[in-house]
Amino acid sequence: RKEVEQDPGPFNVPEGATVAFNCTYSNSASQSFFWYRQDCRKEPKLLMSVYSSGNEDGRFTAQLNRASQYISLLIRDSKLSDSATYLCVVNWGVNTGFQKLVFGTGTRLLVSP
Amino acid sequence: ETGVTQTPRHLVMGMTNKKSLKCEQHLGHNAMYWYKQSAKKPLELMFVYSLEERVENNSVPSRFSPECPNSSHLFLHLHTLQPEDSALYLCASSQVVTTGGYSNQPQHFGDGTRLSIL
């Protein structure tokens, strides 16, 4: 089983659509989770952290299900500028103080006019 | 604008060359990381320095040699690389939780160095 698994896509959606990405992870001891965004040939940038109770940031909603080891990202009212690769990231480091991030391969999103 | 700066942005080198990648962070963080991103593969953690001490070496071949002279600077020294080492090398930094426990502080990435081995 892959450590962090995502559907690579691409997801092709029209502007204004709602799109959801899913991710599963294999380390049940993991405590912190993130979604990063990576544009073509650029560095990853933090989109949002994922909290146990679920959290929202504008058009973006993240959910965590620890029992199923499953993370999701929902994007509402998609914009052209949302086109990018979305990376599911899990911190494998437990009680280390520093992070040992494990990345999924990413899900590519293409938003069209 | 990134608080983590990497140089050079692009590097082409032969297999017998020796070169170094440089990373500098201006965020006051105390942990720094090297990652490798190959085409169609997820980012792979290579090394972690926490409080200027190397705390993680993720089974990286010895032809890659990291150096962390202080909490703001990180180097990756390269020698006798192979064609499969061609990739994007990314540096990141974060704030360590000094009392142990887990850290949910995000990592901040530099723009990366795109390395090509001839």
Side-chain angles (χ1 to χ4, degrees):
Chain A
R1 181 183 177 184
K2 287 183 184 176
E3 294 178 317
V4 178
E5 194 154 5
Q6 297 181 251
D7 180 344
F11 283 53
N12 291 285
V13 302
E15 269 187 294
T18 295
V19 62
F21 305 139
N22 303 319
C23 167
T24 56
Y25 60 96
S26 60
N27 184 355
S28 59
S30 299
Q31 296 290 336
S32 51
F33 311 88
F34 309 91
W35 283 101
Y36 276 75
R37 169 194 169 132
Q38 187 171 25
D39 292 287
C40 189
R41 303 183 76 81
K42 296 274 199 169
E43 78 279 15
K45 291 185 178 176
L46 179 69
L47 179 66
M48 59 197 301
S49 301
V50 186
Y51 301 118
S52 296
S53 53
N55 48 299
E56 190 174 304
D57 183 0
R59 298 181 293 109
F60 300 85
T61 301
Q63 297 278 355
L64 169 64
N65 183 324
R66 286 186 189 273
S68 303
Q69 294 174 212
Y70 171 95
I71 306 163
S72 65
L73 177 68
L74 183 77
I75 305 176
R76 290 181 300 278
D77 188 23
S78 299
K79 311 290 185 193
L80 295 176
S81 56
D82 293 334
S83 296
T85 297
Y86 290 83
L87 305 171
C88 177
V89 184
V90 178
N91 182 13
W92 240 239
V94 180
N95 296 327
T96 60
F98 62 91
Q99 293 182 333
K100 187 175 175 181
L101 297 186
V102 179
F103 286 74
T105 51
T107 299
R108 193 165 172 220
L109 172 66
L110 299 170
V111 182
S112 53
Chain B
E1 187 177 333
T2 179
V4 181
T5 305
Q6 288 187 245
T7 54
R9 293 293 303 277
H10 302 272
L11 179 61
V12 179
M13 58 188 284
M15 289 192 283
T16 57
N17 291 156
K18 288 185 180 181
K19 295 285 184 184
S20 296
L21 309 185
K22 180 183 176 183
C23 176
E24 184 174 359
Q25 60 95 2
H26 314 276
L27 301 167
H29 289 161
N30 53 14
M32 295 187 78
Y33 308 78
W34 279 117
Y35 289 88
K36 176 184 178 182
Q37 188 173 32
S38 303
K40 300 192 185 301
K41 285 184 156 185
L43 270 82
E44 301 169 61
L45 179 65
M46 299 175 73
F47 299 104
V48 181
Y49 276 83
S50 175
L51 303 171
E52 299 171 37
E53 182 182 338
R54 193 194 310 181
V55 294
E56 185 82 15
N57 176 342
N58 208 19
S59 304
V60 180
S62 59
R63 57 186 184 269
F64 294 91
S65 175
E67 180 190 0
C68 185
N70 55 61
S71 60
S72 299
H73 293 85
L74 185 65
F75 296 89
L76 188 63
H77 304 300
L78 317 171
H79 63 97
T80 58
L81 295 194
Q82 304 299 310
E84 61 266 28
D85 297 324
S86 297
L88 178 67
Y89 288 84
L90 289 157
C91 172
S93 70
S94 73
Q95 191 63 21
V96 167
V97 176
T98 52
T99 53
Y102 70 90
S103 171
N104 63 355
Q105 297 299 309
Q107 289 186 16
H108 297 260
F109 285 82
D111 292 339
T113 295
R114 194 160 292 280
L115 176 66
S116 298
I117 306 300
L118 301 179

